[in-house]
Amino acid sequence: MAIISDYQDDEQTKKQTPPSSSSSSSSSYSQSKPSKSIPFTSTFDPSNPTAFLDKVFDFIAKESDFFEKDSAEKVILSAGSAAKVKKAKVVAAEKAKIAAEEKAKAEKVAAVAKKDKEVEGKEDEKKDQESSLAAPNKGNGMDLEKYSWTQTLQELNVNVPVPHGTKSRFLTCEIKKNHLTVGLKGQPPIIDGELYKSIKPDECYWSIEDQSVVSILLTKHDQMDWWKCLVKGDPEINTQKVEPQTSNLGDLDPETRQTVEKMMFDQRQKSRGLPTSEEIQKQEMMKKFMSQHPEMDFSGAKLS
């Protein structure tokens, strides 16, 4: 329902000249026609706006002399043009808003896709790096040209061959928290570098076996991690292929044993391309949530 009110007629003020009181003098005065608001009521059908305009123009023609003026058509055309421009601006603003929202959504989707791709790329790179790493020896370490080493979760054993008959006084063996130096006095060291991770120097020992091998015991500071190498810069092993002796698990306390068993399980799963224990737990939680909320759409959900 559209209502136009307070229409004021636009009649010119009519001038009236009263009769002269004498032949030598005259006077005049103007009197304006009283204005009043005339209500207009009509229904508006959006599918037929012309019919509404016809009623408006008929009302104006009936109640005023607007269409008797030469400028009437020009005024109407100007008003229509202004309304058209205003409407075009509103439509353009709405389109710009929608375009901006769609662009923002597209950028967000692209950002998520880029991030996922980067994550996948890093995972693929990590897998490629792991696949290029050497498999550990039987002691979960590595046999190098000048020495060999093995490890458990708690310790490392390093064996350095030396000329037969070598005595301890001919050797240099410095064991520090983050550094190891081993060699014959007066010669370049056989091992001299920063350890892969820190150790407990007070719980480390070395000795010479059969006057031909320097045997070094290093106690790890973090006893829940496998080392990839002895000293940084040396070739690394693929720790995913480490196989700890299960018979030694009985010597651990229950909490440590549970942690070790979890690590072993996760390593086996990763080597086979299967989900880890944490990923399996997340999948089970997601499945349970989905079963409890059948009204929700999980078509786009990823169980990972």
Side-chain angles (χ1 to χ4, degrees):
M1 176 73 72
I3 300 177
I4 300 177
S5 61
D6 295 333
Y7 173 78
Q8 298 180 351
D9 56 327
D10 191 24
E11 294 185 354
Q12 296 290 332
T13 304
K14 297 181 180 180
K15 296 182 179 180
Q16 297 179 355
T17 305
S20 299
S21 59
S22 62
S23 58
S24 60
S25 64
S26 63
S27 63
S28 64
Y29 68 94
S30 62
Q31 183 178 1
S32 300
K33 181 180 179 180
S35 61
K36 62 179 180 179
S37 298
I38 305 175
F40 171 80
T41 304
S42 177
T43 57
F44 175 70
D45 182 2
S47 65
N48 187 18
T50 303
F52 180 78
L53 289 175
D54 288 341
K55 293 180 181 179
V56 172
F57 292 153
D58 288 344
F59 179 80
I60 294 174
K62 179 180 178 182
E63 300 295 339
S64 73
D65 59 355
F66 175 77
F67 288 110
E68 296 176 7
K69 301 176 183 179
D70 294 336
S71 61
E73 185 176 355
K74 184 178 180 180
V75 171
I76 292 175
L77 290 175
S78 177
S81 178
K84 185 176 180 180
V85 170
K86 185 176 180 180
K87 178 64 176 179
K89 289 182 178 180
V90 172
V91 173
E94 286 295 328
K95 289 183 178 179
K97 181 180 178 181
I98 293 174
E101 291 176 349
E102 292 179 349
K103 181 181 179 181
K105 290 180 180 179
E107 290 176 348
K108 185 176 181 180
V109 171
V112 172
K114 182 180 178 181
K115 185 176 181 181
D116 291 343
K117 188 174 181 180
E118 290 176 350
V119 172
E120 291 177 359
K122 289 180 180 179
E123 290 178 351
D124 293 340
E125 183 180 353
K126 184 178 179 181
K127 289 180 180 179
D128 292 339
Q129 290 177 349
E130 289 177 349
S131 62
S132 64
L133 297 176
N137 58 22
K138 292 182 180 180
N140 296 321
M142 179 175 277
D143 298 323
L144 300 173
E145 181 181 355
K146 295 183 178 182
Y147 70 93
S148 64
W149 61 278
T150 60
Q151 66 174 322
T152 65
L153 279 173
Q154 294 80 28
E155 303 171 340
L156 292 101
N157 285 279
V158 185
N159 291 318
V160 185
V162 293
H164 185 73
T166 300
K167 298 183 181 297
S168 59
R169 64 176 180 271
F170 300 147
L171 296 171
T172 296
C173 187
E174 295 181 356
I175 303 173
K176 298 181 180 180
K177 181 179 180 181
N178 296 297
H179 198 95
L180 176 64
T181 303
V182 181
L184 295 169
K185 291 181 179 179
Q187 297 184 24
I190 301 172
I191 300 175
D192 185 19
E194 183 181 356
L195 293 169
Y196 178 71
K197 289 194 174 182
S198 61
I199 58 173
K200 299 178 180 180
D202 294 340
E203 299 181 21
C204 299
Y205 310 93
W206 72 274
S207 62
I208 185 166
E209 305 288 342
D210 299 328
Q211 297 185 339
S212 60
V213 177
V214 179
S215 178
I216 307 168
L217 174 68
L218 303 177
T219 303
K220 295 179 180 180
H221 186 273
D222 179 2
Q223 301 189 347
M224 288 297 171
D225 195 13
W226 297 106
W227 286 27
K228 292 184 178 181
C229 59
L230 178 65
V231 293
K232 294 181 179 179
D234 276 1
E236 297 182 353
I237 63 170
N238 186 351
T239 55
Q240 300 298 327
K241 296 182 179 180
V242 167
E243 296 181 359
Q245 294 292 330
T246 55
S247 58
N248 293 334
L249 293 178
D251 299 332
L252 304 175
D253 61 84
E255 184 177 356
T256 304
R257 177 173 179 173
Q258 184 178 6
T259 302
V260 173
E261 289 177 341
K262 178 178 179 297
M263 291 172 60
M264 293 170 58
F265 174 80
D266 289 343
Q267 288 172 353
R268 288 195 299 269
Q269 291 293 95
K270 287 181 179 179
S271 65
R272 299 170 185 170
L274 299 175
T276 62
S277 56
E278 184 177 352
E279 292 170 343
I280 292 175
Q281 185 178 9
K282 289 181 179 179
Q283 290 177 359
E284 293 298 327
M285 291 175 63
M286 187 62 178
K287 289 179 180 179
K288 183 177 180 180
F289 182 79
M290 291 171 63
S291 64
Q292 293 175 345
H293 299 275
E295 75 281 1
M296 298 179 67
D297 181 16
F298 296 95
S299 57
K302 292 183 179 180
L303 296 177
S304 59

